Structure formats: structure tokens, C-alpha cells
Amino acid sequence: MSDLSREHLASQLAEAVAEALREDLGRQERALLVVSGGSTPKPFFTALSRAELPWERVDVTLADERWVAEDAADSNARLVRETLLRGPAEAANFVPLTSDAATPEQGVAEVAERVMALSWPASVVILGMGGDGHTASLFPDSQELGLALSTAEPLVAVRTPSQPQPRITLSADRLHQARRHFLHLSGEDKRSVLGRALAGDDVRELPIRAFLACPLAIYWAP
Ligand SMILES: O=C(O)[C@H](O)[C@@H](O)[C@H](O)[C@H](O)COP(=O)(O)O
């Protein structure tokens, strides 16, 4: 693992995303940025937070979220608040994907209203990928995967044996509603999984495949 190359990749991705936001803000009032959570994005979020742009006109939301309190260690909202919404980017408008409801099934309608009020299509969607080929919370072992891949609804509550927490995720349809898609991943294991995904077409086996047909800028470092 080369930290330097991952840091460099993160900076390159941050520059590309900042440029995309500037471009859209040059012709519309607001721009929507949809980001993924997990561990990979941290250096990217830090680099992007330093970008000089009219952040007060940028809405930021998540591709998915664990249904946990926003101050929980594994909250994606906490990750975004602590690493992206700093410095210049602190002025951005962050829209989290959780509510006070006890479960994502009870909270999904309220969160969907909040998300639908944003300025779609998004300027940018940043996807990550897990070792099982999931992206957002489109997990191959989730009983809601078929729904999340086919519904026109913006959000789906997800439970999956491979994850300790219930989740909420943007649907594949909603994640496709963006002008630009980026896939940010690192390491040899994920490169190998991506290679398998590119060589096949069964989306339910490797859900990242749902995004490999559309223009997708892949940012990978060892
Ligand atoms: O909530 C999440 O965990 C993410 O949205 C998820 O889809 C992530 O992108 C992958 O699981 C990769 O995570 P890592 O970057 O931690 O490998």
C-alpha cells in the first residue's frame, strides 16, 4: 500500500470534483454533491474541503448511511462533518440520511422528502466499492437489493447479513441521476473485484456493475 499514491489520487479526485462543481455553479444557482462513506474517502474529503468555490451554494448528501446516531463512530454523517465540512467547505449545506425514527423503514419516507427537495440531477456522485462488489448500500447479500436496483423511489431501507447496522441507501435509479460519476477505490483486492465486475454482467452478483455502463471516472491507487 502506498499512502503517497493514495494521497495523490485523493488530491486529483478533489480537483476534478471541485472543477465539476465550479462548472455547474457557473450556470445554475445550486449544485448537488453525493458522496459515499467508509474509510477510502477520508483523504479525498480533506483535500476537497480546501477547494475555493461558493460552497454556500453546494448541497452535500450521502449515497447511503448506516442507521446510527450522527455522533456514532460508524456514522457517515459524522465522517462528512469531521473531514469534508471544514475550512471553506464548512459553508456547504449538508443533508443527512437519518431521522429520529427507530428504524430506516420508519424513517425512509421523511428522508426521501428531504432528499427529493435537492437540486437533481446531482453534479457529482462519488461511489466507493466493497470487497463484495457492493456500492452505496447495494449489497449482494441484501434481500432489498432487487428493489434498490429497480425502484423509481429515491431511497430504500436495507438490511443485510454482512453488515452490523441497518442502512438506508439511494436507489440505483437515483444514483444514476447525476451529470458525472466517479468511482474511488484503492488496493489490489478491490482492483481484482473491479476486474471481475468489468468482465461480467450479473448486477446482483456484483452490484457495482449497475454503474459500469454509464460514463464513470475510476480513481484507483495501489
Ligand atoms: O457506508 C458505506 O460504507 C459506503 O457508502 C460504502 O458503500 C463504501 O463505499 C464501501 O463499503 C467501501 O468502503 P471502504 O472505503 O471503507 O472500503
Side-chain angles (χ1 to χ4, degrees):
M1 177 189 82
S2 155
D3 272 341
L4 191 60
S5 65
R6 290 185 183 185
E7 291 290 331
H8 182 62
L9 182 79
S11 298
Q12 286 182 312
L13 178 56
E15 279 173 33
V17 169
E19 191 46 42
L21 292 171
R22 284 189 198 100
E23 186 181 314
D24 284 5
L25 288 166
R27 62 160 178 261
Q28 61 193 48
E29 182 48 36
R30 298 194 70 77
L32 175 58
L33 170 62
V34 182
V35 297
S36 289
S39 57
T40 304
K42 286 178 187 170
F44 159 64
F45 287 157
T46 301
L48 183 59
S49 73
R50 300 186 187 116
E52 291 299 338
L53 51 93
W55 282 103
E56 70 281 359
R57 291 165 54 206
V58 178
D59 297 312
V60 178
T61 195
L62 285 157
D64 67 329
E65 179 60 284
R66 300 82 180 277
W67 200 264
V68 296
E70 282 202 27
D71 60 358
D74 51 359
S75 161
N76 285 338
R78 176 172 171 177
L79 171 71
V80 168
R81 292 189 196 280
E82 290 180 348
T83 56
L84 176 55
L85 304 180
R86 322 291 285 180
E90 191 173 1
N93 170 50
F94 177 56
V95 178
L97 296 190
T98 51
S99 72
D100 294 338
T103 68
E105 291 83 3
Q106 292 166 347
V108 65
E110 176 192 339
V111 178
E113 257 187 62
R114 200 188 298 166
V115 164
M116 291 298 282
L118 296 172
S119 45
W120 298 94
S123 290
V124 169
V125 162
I126 311 276
L127 296 173
M129 190 190 77
D132 58 358
H134 83 261
T135 190
S137 283
L138 308 177
F139 288 92
D141 62 340
S142 161
Q143 61 192 15
E144 292 84 14
L145 177 62
L147 174 64
L149 290 172
S150 60
T151 183
E153 293 298 318
L155 282 156
V156 177
V158 169
R159 293 177 186 264
T160 176
S162 62
Q163 300 300 315
Q165 332 88 343
R167 293 190 172 214
I168 187 169
T169 186
L170 291 185
S171 60
D173 175 74
R174 185 54 48 172
L175 287 167
H176 276 114
Q177 297 187 34
R179 293 193 185 87
R180 307 166 190 82
H181 291 83
F182 296 84
L183 174 60
H184 183 201
L185 69 173
S186 56
E188 291 300 336
D189 290 350
K190 288 188 180 183
R191 188 171 67 101
S192 168
V193 172
L194 183 58
R196 276 180 49 220
L198 288 163
D201 56 12
D202 180 352
V203 174
R204 302 203 54 162
E205 178 197 15
L206 297 171
I208 190 62
R209 285 174 171 152
F211 300 92
L212 298 183
C214 66
L216 178 70
I218 298 175
Y219 281 68
W220 174 85

